[in-house]
Amino acid sequence: MQQQTATFQNTLAKCWPWSVNGATGAHEQRFLDAEAARCALAKLGSLYSADQLSAIVCAYLMNICIEQAAGRPLSERDSETTTACLTLLAASKAIAIPSAQLERIVATFNPGYWYQAVAPLIAQRLTRASLCAALVKSLSKEREPDDLYFALQGVRIYSTATAGLPPGSGHTPLVHALTRRVRELADNHDDEIATAARNASTFLKNYE
């Protein structure tokens, strides 16, 4: 698995275009850039079939989810590859990942940290029920305060994706579960988490 991961990381890095930073003049790879992702996809398409690329991206992100659940920090390279994979997911539905795995991705990666631009596009592949289930998991009691804070930011960020989503199975009780958890955080904290929870609560109507 480690060898496969390293091979994929090397291939992705070679396919991802470089650009010039207008402010500094430095050459850089912008792993959150949609146009860069589309260029990379064109090159990756000559190396992998759609099914192969989907399987590789899914396996990589699931492994990162496991690492994150275990509390292990990402290396700089893993962080770049993870960001690139999330941007690829947002840029092309040809990368097909089952909804259960997508739900875990949404629950693991807080858009309040660094991928606000691509998070709603990924969420649009889910039902509102699945999105609520993922957000409830992202707000679990085991999360560190910083993770809770940014997960609450995610309630606002993901709310922009809910308008066109089908309700999905078990939608109403999952909306209620998300609402209860957000209100619990607002009631049981007196710091920035409480403020973030109160702000998040104003967007819960979008999930109904």
Side-chain angles (χ1 to χ4, degrees):
M1 180 65 186
Q2 285 184 330
Q3 182 60 44
Q4 288 178 331
T5 297
T7 299
F8 174 60
Q9 286 180 315
N10 289 337
T11 302
L12 187 59
K14 289 176 182 176
C15 291
W16 207 273
W18 290 78
S19 59
V20 178
N21 185 315
T24 66
H27 284 73
E28 60 187 19
Q29 288 175 298
R30 297 178 182 174
F31 292 106
L32 273 173
D33 184 78
E35 186 57 40
R38 285 188 282 271
C39 290
L41 279 166
K43 295 179 182 178
L44 289 166
S46 67
L47 302 172
Y48 303 104
S49 70
D51 286 346
Q52 287 174 327
L53 186 57
S54 297
I56 291 168
V57 169
C58 184
Y60 180 81
L61 288 175
M62 287 304 99
N63 185 59
I64 295 297
C65 286
I66 291 169
E67 295 288 306
Q68 292 282 275
R72 289 189 279 271
L74 297 183
S75 67
E76 182 178 356
R77 192 179 196 199
D78 277 335
S79 182
E80 289 176 348
T81 305
T82 299
T83 305
C85 285
L86 294 169
T87 308
L88 291 174
L89 266 183
S92 175
K93 290 187 178 179
I95 300 177
I97 292 184
S99 59
Q101 279 73 31
L102 278 173
E103 190 176 305
R104 186 169 186 184
I105 288 167
V106 170
T108 299
F109 300 109
N110 285 328
Y113 272 124
W114 39 277
Y115 75 113
Q116 294 186 36
V118 302
L121 296 173
I122 294 171
Q124 284 172 6
R125 298 183 180 211
L126 298 171
T127 64
R128 272 179 283 164
S130 292
L131 180 54
C132 287
L135 289 169
V136 170
K137 290 174 188 171
S138 77
L139 294 169
S140 70
K141 293 179 174 62
E142 289 73 30
R143 300 302 288 269
E144 294 294 322
D146 281 354
D147 288 328
L148 283 175
Y149 175 80
F150 286 112
L152 286 163
Q153 298 292 319
V155 174
R156 171 182 59 79
I157 293 164
Y158 282 121
S159 72
T160 64
T162 57
L165 298 182
S169 178
H171 168 249
T172 299
L174 284 164
V175 172
H176 292 167
L178 177 59
T179 300
R180 280 195 305 273
R181 182 57 180 146
V182 170
R183 287 176 178 167
E184 181 181 84
L185 288 167
D187 292 341
N188 294 341
H189 290 266
D190 57 3
D191 53 10
E192 61 182 6
I193 291 177
T195 301
R198 286 192 291 271
N199 290 339
S201 68
T202 65
F203 293 90
L204 290 172
K205 202 140 189 75
N206 292 345
Y207 293 87
E208 295 176 359

